């Protein structure tokens, strides 16, 4: 048997993890070879993140055996795991927003001179690290000012900086652009060359097949299979994950496009959004494409009153509207499903139920009608197939993808006329993705208007009637469905020329 432990840097066997009322892991295994990328796959709630948290000492496993580097281990804290050589990039980022990038990077291990933090050295070490990893980050920036993508890059740099023998990456690319993903893949290749093992968790099939050496699939807390990536393909993996076939990824249904519901005229917000104009119609799904930094999220935030409008006008049903806060947007029946569920979205300690009705409390009268609150929550849990023991469960206990579903439910419940969704299926597994897509399509069919921001071109092209393309805050094109092609959209996404509407 000694040969087996030579072969694997990590062997987890018969791992069981019970939370009150949930058997999250029912005796699973994972065997990771050094110098490889080992990808964990499975639907939302399958147990991937939990298994990793059992490994690095966040959750004590209920039972099971962990052998790391030939020795049986049981880490009690993440610090112990780090010191032993295992670091992790978490699915839910938890930066300290008011501190600098450098301070976040060296949190708890800042270089010192005597009793004081050596800020100069900390800056220099940060710059050296960013240079080594070829990352465009500034150590002096305030963490809270960064985009989600940049925060994710800081997390990646941090995990790599520990010189670990295993680096766990739980959905590291969920908000990265293609270029940033390429950078990450370069970092991964370097780590592999140093015989570091990477445990990779992602729902993005194309990237999984590009970088994985081995793939292990879990379903409902059970181990299903491990195989070399070259022996698998997308269909086989989905079959293993779901236990059934998934069709209908982008169920576009042609529905009649009605009159204009929202007119955006010369919208500007500082330097982030420059002179954006478009019309949105009832029954329409209007996609927004572009690279990160294109200003799509910022445009959405401005319409929703989260960001100050510095120029332009908004009209709803032909009447000018003034939106200076999300409350005013909601009053105008506009809803926004945000990209960053941690920062603007979920309230971790509150229940599924409270998180579902949060944007909508007024509707339940005073005193609150708890019976209706429960009924509405149950309805959306069912509609979206959210995996949770009860609706009273704190949302932080749900898997990442299931948290996202609760947020989708929250905004649907406000019964908006205009629903803006920013990366709605990020971190969502293939089956649930298809469900959210058909839900969005159904809403359009009911005459609602949808703005859909997505960095996944197949998704935005599959779902939209038209696509607005942006580049660095400027709108560069509006493309009709009949003209969709990834080449054309990418061309506009990198174009410097502002869109010129054809004269009628
Ligand atoms: N702290 C916790 N308390 C109670 N239950 C939990 C806790 N953490 C996770 N669970 C439950 O364990 C199960 C597995 O969740 P886990 O986060 O591991 O899923 P996952 O495979 O990472 O899914 P995703 O792809 O959505 O991130 C889920 O049913 C989840 O609700
Ligand atoms: Mg997870």
């Amino acid at each position: 048997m000694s040969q087996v432990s030579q072969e694997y840097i990590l062997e987890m066997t018969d791992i069981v993890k019970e939370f009150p009322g949930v058997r999250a892991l029912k005796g699973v295994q994972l065997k990771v070879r050094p110098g490889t990328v080992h990808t964990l796959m499975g639907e939302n709630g399958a147990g991937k993140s939990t298994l990793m948290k059992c490994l690095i000492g966040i959750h004590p496993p209920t039972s099971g055996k962990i052998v790391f580097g030939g020795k049986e281990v049981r880490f009690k804290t993440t610090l112990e795991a780090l010191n032993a050589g295992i670091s992790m990039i978490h699915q839910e980022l938890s930066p300290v927003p008011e501190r600098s990038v450098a301070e976040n990077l060296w949190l708890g291990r800042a270089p010192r001179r005597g009793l004081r933090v050596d800020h100069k050295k900390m800056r220099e070490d940060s710059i050296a690290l960013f240079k080594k990893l070829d990352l465009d980050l500034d150590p002096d920036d305030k963490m809270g000012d960064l985009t989600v993508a940049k925060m994710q890059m800081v997390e990646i740099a941090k995990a790599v900086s520990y010189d670990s023998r295993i680096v766990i990456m739980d959905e590291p690319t969920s908000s990265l652009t293609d270029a940033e993903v390429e950078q990450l893949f370069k970092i991964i290749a370097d780590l592999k060359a140093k015989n570091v093992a990477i445990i990779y968790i992602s729902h993005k099939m194309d990237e999984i097949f590009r970088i994985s050496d081995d793939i292990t699939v879990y379903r409902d807390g059970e181990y299903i299979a491990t195989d070399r990536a070259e022996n698998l393909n997308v269909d086989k993996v989905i079959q293993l994950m779901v236990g059934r076939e998934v069709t209908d990824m982008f169920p576009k249904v042609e529905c009649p496009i009605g009159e204009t519901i929202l007119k955006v005229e010369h919208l500007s917000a500082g330097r982030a959004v420059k002179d954006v104009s478009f019309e949105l119609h009832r029954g329409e799904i209007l996609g927004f494409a572009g690279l990160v930094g294109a200003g799509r999220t910022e445009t959405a935030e401005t319409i929703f009153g989260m960001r100050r409008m510095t120029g332009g006008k908004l009209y709803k049903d032909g009447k000018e509207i003034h939106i200076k806060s999300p409350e005013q947007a909601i009053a105008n029946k506009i809803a926004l499903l945000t990209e960053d569920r941690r920062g603007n979205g979920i309230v971790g300690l509150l229940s599924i139920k409270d998180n579902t009705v949060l944007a909508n409390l007024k509707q339940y009268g005073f005193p609150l009608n708890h019976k209706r609150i429960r009924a509405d929550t149950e309805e959306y849990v069912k509609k979206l197939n959210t995996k949770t023991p009860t609706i009273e469960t704190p949302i932080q206990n749900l898997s990442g993808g299931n948290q996202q579903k609760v947020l989708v439910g929250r905004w649907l419940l406000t019964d908006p006329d205009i629903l803006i969704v920013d990366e709605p299926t990020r971190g969502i597994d293939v089956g649930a993705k298809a469900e959210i897509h058909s839900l969005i399509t159904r809403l359009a069919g009911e005459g609602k208007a949808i703005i859909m921001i997505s960095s996944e071109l197949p998704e935005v092209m599959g779902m939209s009637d038209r696509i607005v393309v942006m580049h660095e805050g400027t709108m560069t094109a509006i493309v009709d469905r009949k003209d969709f092609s990834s080449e054309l959209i990418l061309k506009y996404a990198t174009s410097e020329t502002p869109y010129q509407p054809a004269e009628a």
Side-chain angles (χ1 to χ4, degrees):
M1 286 307 279
S2 67
Q3 256 174 342
V4 174
S5 48
Q6 294 288 308
E7 190 183 347
Y8 299 111
I9 175 77
L10 175 72
E11 286 177 86
M12 301 179 79
T13 36
D14 296 325
I15 305 291
V16 173
K17 177 64 196 175
E18 282 168 357
F19 294 109
V22 190
R23 228 170 126 79
L25 299 171
K26 305 172 184 166
V28 305
Q29 67 167 61
L30 173 65
K31 294 182 179 175
V32 180
R33 299 182 290 146
T36 63
V37 175
H38 195 124
T39 299
L40 312 189
M41 300 202 66
E43 287 185 285
N44 297 131
K48 306 173 299 286
S49 299
T50 302
L51 184 64
M52 293 301 100
K53 289 176 184 168
C54 285
L55 172 62
I56 65 166
I58 293 179
H59 297 318
T62 308
S63 62
K65 187 172 168 192
I66 304 173
V67 176
F68 171 57
K71 280 207 294 283
E72 185 161 354
V73 293
R74 184 64 75 87
F75 302 119
K76 287 189 202 66
T77 62
T78 51
L79 193 64
E80 266 184 40
L82 264 178
N83 288 334
I86 305 180
S87 60
M88 175 157 173
I89 303 167
H90 286 275
Q91 181 172 17
E92 304 301 326
L93 303 175
S94 48
V96 187
E98 62 279 8
R99 300 279 191 87
S100 72
V101 165
E103 283 169 318
N104 270 277
L105 199 54
W106 306 106
L107 202 69
R109 52 173 179 146
R112 285 175 190 277
R113 286 183 70 169
L115 286 174
R116 294 191 166 202
V117 170
D118 186 345
H119 282 278
K120 184 159 166 279
K121 176 148 195 323
M122 192 158 83
R123 262 192 97 243
E124 286 164 4
D125 289 353
S126 307
I127 290 168
L129 180 68
F130 296 152
K131 196 158 170 226
K132 189 174 105 192
L133 300 175
D134 198 14
L135 298 179
D136 176 25
L137 292 169
D138 183 339
D140 298 327
D141 279 350
K142 211 171 99 184
M143 197 70 174
D145 291 342
L146 300 190
T147 59
V148 186
K150 291 272 192 221
M151 281 186 210
Q152 219 163 30
M153 295 313 268
V154 175
E155 286 287 314
I156 290 165
K158 188 171 168 180
V160 169
S161 72
Y162 284 102
D163 274 331
S164 304
R165 292 166 74 193
I166 297 182
V167 179
I168 303 163
M169 304 186 175
D170 197 350
E171 304 208 14
T173 64
S174 54
S175 55
L176 302 187
T177 45
D178 290 349
E180 289 160 324
V181 170
E182 292 310 318
Q183 260 172 321
L184 175 67
F185 285 3
K186 238 174 58 203
I187 294 172
I188 289 178
D190 287 347
L191 290 171
K192 271 177 72 167
K194 288 190 208 135
N195 214 31
V196 174
I198 291 101
I199 302 178
Y200 196 81
I201 303 178
S202 167
H203 289 289
K204 297 188 185 167
M205 292 290 180
D206 46 341
E207 66 184 39
I208 287 161
F209 280 97
R210 268 190 57 198
I211 63 164
S212 307
D213 297 292
D214 297 340
I215 294 178
T216 293
V217 179
Y218 301 95
R219 192 197 308 154
D220 283 333
E222 312 224 38
Y223 169 80
I224 301 296
T226 303
D227 207 339
R228 299 275 193 270
E230 67 218 35
N231 298 333
L232 294 167
N233 58 40
V234 174
D235 289 341
K236 277 190 202 161
V237 168
I238 293 180
Q239 185 75 43
L240 290 170
M241 275 172 58
V242 194
R244 63 186 151 84
E245 276 187 44
V246 177
T247 46
D248 259 9
M249 270 312 273
F250 309 110
K252 179 78 193 155
V253 182
E254 295 301 329
C255 55
I257 305 280
E259 72 268 35
T260 302
I261 183 164
L262 179 74
K263 189 167 166 200
V264 173
E265 226 176 51
H266 306 298
L267 183 81
S268 295
R271 277 182 305 161
V273 181
K274 295 172 247 176
D275 194 12
V276 168
S277 302
F278 63 87
E279 289 184 19
L280 175 70
H281 306 89
R282 288 180 195 278
E284 181 175 42
I285 301 178
L286 181 64
F288 267 68
L291 309 173
V292 158
R296 297 167 302 163
T297 294
E298 290 79 359
T299 302
E301 286 175 352
T302 311
I303 296 172
F304 190 63
M306 279 170 68
R307 193 176 273 272
R308 204 169 69 87
M309 209 167 126
T310 54
K313 286 182 172 162
L314 296 175
Y315 300 87
K316 187 170 171 229
D317 290 320
K319 280 220 309 275
E320 185 171 1
I321 51 171
H322 299 275
I323 294 179
K324 295 204 176 67
S325 69
E327 288 71 30
Q328 289 174 350
I330 294 170
N332 276 293
K333 289 191 154 289
I334 301 175
L336 170 67
L337 172 66
T338 54
E339 162 189 39
D340 169 15
R341 60 175 168 252
R342 240 296 155 80
N344 311 318
I346 72 162
V347 186
L349 285 170
L350 292 185
S351 66
I352 313 291
K353 190 186 70 190
D354 295 342
N355 270 286
T356 302
V357 297
L358 198 64
N360 223 20
L361 279 178
K362 280 200 194 110
Q363 194 180 302
Y364 296 98
F366 184 82
L368 290 173
N369 182 343
H370 287 281
K371 203 167 145 212
R372 260 187 55 219
I373 290 184
R374 273 194 298 275
D376 285 349
T377 307
E378 296 282 4
E379 182 188 331
Y380 279 97
V381 163
K382 207 160 134 220
K383 259 192 192 156
L384 294 165
N385 206 358
T386 309
K387 224 177 270 176
T388 175
T390 74
I391 58 169
E392 307 293 342
T393 306
I395 195 170
Q396 64 187 10
N397 290 3
L398 296 199
S399 79
N402 283 304
Q403 294 182 1
Q404 177 76 351
K405 292 190 206 171
V406 173
L407 287 190
V408 174
R410 174 193 298 173
W411 293 115
L412 293 181
L413 196 58
T414 61
D415 191 29
D417 295 338
I418 298 166
L419 177 63
I420 309 174
V421 292
D422 195 353
E423 306 289 356
T425 62
R426 186 161 91 195
I428 294 218
D429 70 52
V430 277
K433 237 183 200 172
E435 278 163 40
I436 289 181
H437 290 153
S438 53
L439 206 87
I440 290 175
T441 305
R442 223 159 51 225
L443 288 172
E446 289 168 12
K448 315 227 175 246
I450 318 277
I451 292 178
M452 178 170 177
I453 304 173
S454 170
S455 298
E456 283 186 53
L457 261 191
E459 176 171 86
V460 83
M461 285 177 22
M463 298 286 297
S464 309
D465 295 291
R466 292 181 303 151
I467 295 178
V468 170
V469 190
M470 292 184 69
H471 174 77
E472 291 183 358
T474 304
M475 186 171 131
T476 53
I478 300 183
V479 185
D480 275 330
R481 187 169 179 84
K482 62 174 172 24
D483 302 320
F484 284 179
S485 76
S486 28
E487 292 77 23
L488 188 69
I489 287 168
L490 281 176
K491 190 187 100 191
Y492 286 124
T494 49
S495 152
E496 307 271 333
T497 321
Y499 172 68
Q500 295 290 343
E503 289 301 322

